[in-house]
Amino acid sequence: MAYGLFLGCLIPNRYPGVEWSTRYIMNKDHLNVPLVDIEEFSCCPVPGIFYSVDKETWLTLAARNLVVAQDEEVQLLTLCNGCYMSLHKAAETLQDSKKRSEVNKVLRGVGKRYTGEEVPGDGRVKQYRPVQVKHLVEVLANDVGIDRIEKSVTTPLTGFRVAVHYGCHYLRPSTTHTIENPNRPHLVDDIVRACGATTVEYDEKLACCGAGGGVRSHVKELADALTADKMKSIQAAGADVIVTVCPFCLLQFDTAQLTLPGINTPVVHISNMLALAMGADPLFLGFDLHNVSVNPILRKLRRRTTA
Amino acid sequence: MSGETEETFIGGQKTLVVEEKVVLDKEYDPEFVAEIVKYGGRDVKTCHQCGNCTGVCPYSLKTLYKTRNIIKMCQLGLKSLVLQTPWLCATCYRCYEHCPEDINAAEVMIALRHIAVRDGFIPDFIQRVTRNVRQYGQSVAPAREVEILRTQLELGPLSYAKPRYGKTINEVQYIMRAMGYDKLVHVLDEKPKEKAAGAAADQAAEGEVR
């Protein structure tokens, strides 16, 4: 089944390099995963606001996006932990027929109806399963496979020390469909290693970046205080670069470091890192918009490739 | 004032630290536990105060608000004491992963947010993001420098600038209106239609929040 690319809000509006990188690594010269562009998607909607303020509105707006995917017959590929959790949770919640009919009452007003994706049945009764919502990491590690990523790497990032940040909503809350063990995640580390880099262990690796749940918007100093703790342990571990799998964590690491004197470790999205390893020109990765300069790792990369 | 001190911590957040406090009748809300359940939290009365949630909570380490204490105050029905706190939660769900009673403190916080908003505690950012979603269909407002870079990267225009995207924005606005969300967070039509104009007038009569 084809992947509908769900970009969300932050990536197109703040980190377009992540969008470019994702298209680059998925194109037919590299991982060859066809992506379907769908115009009709709105905000997922953002869990820190809508899920926190009114769950019914959250569910209906999320269901609207799921209907779009259902009608286009795609599974959703999300590049953001927030979008992933919001849509995934909504698809699970809509398994409840009472909730589904409540949501459909409102969706009728916009000419939409959520049933889920039709699956082949015995021919007498139509059978449905929830619209599949997948995180980029899940698609890369499980659907594409680490082997194929390894084979597609043309510029191995040998010698790079990477601090992986998983982020909360990729891992938690753990449900029956959680991607991996929330206490011992390894898929992002595996992908980074497939790029030829080494990953470093650091304290509080699985802790929040500080931004989630509306805290960044509400009390920025508190969010930054949390990021400061993580940054200290990342620096102590001697990392060259932080790799996140979520643009909101990327934003938080990238902006909070401005308030931390003497700490500046570049932060990139996993798709940026893969694009570099697959030979993309760094000019296209949108690093100009990053607050913390990515140049140190680009210089290191250039030295290595020209040597 | 004995037993109550005001403390300030990171971000200028103030809290009443309760020490040897006598709970007065007027502070006790017997319906509070049921209200939390109504908005999707578990029954907090089953919490036995082991403190696992607090040990793994990133914000409990940084602030005077401890997850366990907030759950305790919920058990005691001290609604007025907890309604300022729910926005200090990253909803990282570590508490949930470590709770032996399966309380899911993060979901309790989310239920508290529901209650707080309905009691009139609506932080500015809720309204800001809601306006963005109403206007652009997305929670983040477009930025000029990003649009220039998008052109250079040949990524195409942002959603809001696409001619057919108006339909999506209309659908999003319709859903928010139909669910009463606009009214709940006090963000109403910028260009009100007849019906919405009436609602806006009601709103003005009630007094603008912030």
Side-chain angles (χ1 to χ4, degrees):
Chain A
M1 191 176 228
Y3 293 101
L5 183 60
F6 192 94
L7 290 166
C9 305
L10 259 180
I11 290 172
N13 285 297
R14 292 292 178 271
Y15 291 104
V18 174
E19 180 179 346
W20 193 93
S21 304
T22 306
R23 293 184 192 282
Y24 179 85
I25 62 173
M26 294 302 200
N27 75 15
K28 60 182 189 312
D29 298 331
H30 300 102
L31 296 175
N32 193 17
V33 178
L35 300 177
V36 181
D37 279 308
I38 300 169
E39 242 181 58
E40 273 188 82
F41 290 133
S42 69
C43 175
C44 56
V46 41
I49 310 288
F50 288 86
Y51 186 73
S52 297
V53 170
D54 189 46
K55 282 185 190 167
E56 311 302 322
T57 310
W58 161 76
L59 187 60
T60 316
L61 285 171
R64 193 196 148 278
N65 284 326
L66 293 174
V67 172
V68 172
Q70 158 201 307
D71 293 349
E72 296 275 346
E73 298 182 351
V74 293
Q75 46 187 339
L76 285 174
L77 167 61
T78 60
L79 312 177
C80 164
N81 291 357
C83 300
Y84 170 73
M85 183 186 75
S86 188
L87 294 167
H88 193 280
K89 199 181 242 177
E92 270 184 15
T93 311
L94 289 169
Q95 285 295 89
D96 181 281
S97 61
K98 195 163 153 260
K99 293 255 190 231
R100 202 162 57 232
S101 68
E102 279 170 16
V103 161
N104 279 334
K105 259 182 225 156
V106 182
L107 288 182
R108 197 183 296 146
V110 295
K112 288 187 159 54
R113 183 163 171 269
Y114 181 82
T115 54
E117 163 205 323
E118 198 174 336
V119 288
D122 54 8
R124 282 173 301 185
V125 189
K126 282 190 175 179
Q127 289 187 2
Y128 299 96
R129 65 168 184 175
V131 170
Q132 302 293 295
V133 180
K134 290 185 173 172
H135 194 287
L136 175 69
V137 174
E138 192 181 6
V139 171
L140 288 172
N142 299 340
D143 299 1
V144 175
I146 301 289
D147 301 351
R148 257 176 74 198
I149 296 175
E150 249 167 11
K151 281 186 198 126
S152 307
V153 170
T154 52
T155 318
L157 306 176
T158 327
F160 280 83
R161 292 172 61 78
V162 176
V164 172
H165 171 74
Y166 281 85
C168 301
H169 299 146
Y170 166 82
L171 300 169
R172 302 178 289 264
S174 60
T175 65
T176 45
H177 302 288
T178 308
I179 304 169
E180 54 181 326
N181 181 342
N183 297 317
R184 285 174 181 276
H186 58 85
L187 292 182
V188 185
D189 289 80
D190 292 351
I191 294 171
V192 168
R193 279 194 288 266
C195 296
T198 46
T199 60
V200 298
E201 289 300 314
Y202 60 97
D203 284 346
E204 290 292 312
K205 184 175 176 182
L206 304 183
C208 176
C209 64
V215 176
R216 183 177 191 278
S217 315
H218 192 42
V219 200
K220 190 163 182 309
E221 295 90 334
L222 187 54
D224 290 353
L226 221 69
T227 316
D229 282 2
K230 278 203 83 140
M231 281 314 303
K232 274 172 204 148
S233 62
I234 286 171
Q235 221 180 25
D240 300 318
V241 58
I242 303 167
V243 166
T244 75
V245 296
C246 169
F248 201 46
C249 303
L250 172 56
L251 178 77
Q252 175 61 16
F253 278 115
D254 196 29
T255 52
Q257 287 191 58
L258 296 176
T259 64
L260 304 172
I263 295 185
N264 41 10
T265 308
V267 201
V268 300
H269 192 261
I270 183 79
S271 60
N272 295 143
M273 169 138 280
L274 281 164
L276 280 178
M278 292 179 191
D281 184 341
L283 282 177
F284 288 104
L285 303 186
F287 291 149
D288 292 352
L289 292 174
H290 287 224
N291 291 310
V292 180
S293 171
V294 184
N295 286 338
I297 60 166
L298 297 182
R299 270 200 298 276
K300 190 167 175 178
L301 191 66
R302 207 161 42 235
R303 270 204 305 276
R304 271 239 345 282
T305 46
T306 50
Chain B
M1 279 302 284
S2 77
E4 277 184 22
T5 45
E6 200 176 63
E7 290 198 23
T8 309
F9 55 93
I10 297 169
Q13 296 290 300
K14 290 187 177 165
T15 182
L16 286 177
V17 180
V18 185
E19 294 163 357
E20 307 158 19
K21 186 172 163 62
V22 177
V23 177
L24 302 175
D25 272 357
K26 65 176 181 354
E27 289 169 327
Y28 172 63
D29 182 349
E31 304 300 321
F32 195 41
V33 174
E35 208 176 345
I36 291 170
V37 173
K38 182 183 153 198
Y39 290 112
R42 301 266 165 83
D43 183 358
V44 291
K45 281 190 174 156
T46 58
C47 168
H48 62 247
Q49 295 279 298
C50 72
N52 273 1
C53 52
T54 315
V56 295
C57 173
Y59 292 119
S60 289
L61 297 171
K62 291 279 171 205
T63 71
L64 294 169
Y65 293 125
K66 310 292 177 199
T67 318
R68 173 168 64 173
N69 295 1
I70 291 170
I71 300 286
K72 187 73 193 172
M73 287 185 207
C74 292
Q75 289 180 332
L76 294 173
L78 298 174
K79 186 172 172 176
S80 58
L81 285 177
V82 294
L83 284 195
Q84 294 282 348
T85 59
W87 303 100
L88 300 177
C89 166
T91 65
C92 75
Y93 291 99
R94 276 183 129 185
C95 46
Y96 164 63
E97 300 295 335
H98 290 83
C99 180
E101 291 285 359
D102 209 11
I103 300 264
N104 203 341
E107 287 291 337
V108 171
M109 291 301 165
I110 284 168
L112 292 180
R113 290 176 178 189
H114 278 64
I115 297 166
V117 164
R118 282 154 185 79
D119 269 28
F121 294 100
I122 307 174
D124 292 341
F125 70 94
I126 298 284
Q127 298 177 325
R128 195 169 66 235
V129 173
T130 304
R131 281 197 193 95
N132 284 343
V133 176
R134 283 190 61 91
Q135 195 174 347
Y136 305 109
Q138 295 190 322
S139 62
V140 180
R144 188 78 203 108
E145 48 174 3
V146 177
E147 293 190 89
I148 293 167
L149 184 69
R150 288 185 66 86
T151 319
Q152 289 166 357
L153 300 183
E154 296 179 357
L155 284 173
L158 289 166
S159 294
Y160 85 96
K162 291 178 184 166
R164 297 220 314 272
Y165 201 66
K167 181 169 171 281
T168 298
I169 294 178
N170 285 341
E171 289 182 7
V172 167
Q173 289 182 355
Y174 173 88
I175 290 170
M176 279 161 62
R177 198 161 45 235
M179 303 303 292
Y181 183 81
D182 297 2
K183 206 164 183 189
L184 179 68
V185 299
H186 303 261
V187 174
L188 290 153
D189 277 333
E190 260 81 51
K191 281 185 285 179
K193 292 178 183 121
E194 266 181 49
K195 199 175 161 193
D202 293 346
Q203 185 55 44
E206 281 169 27
E208 187 61 51
V209 172
R210 271 178 242 265

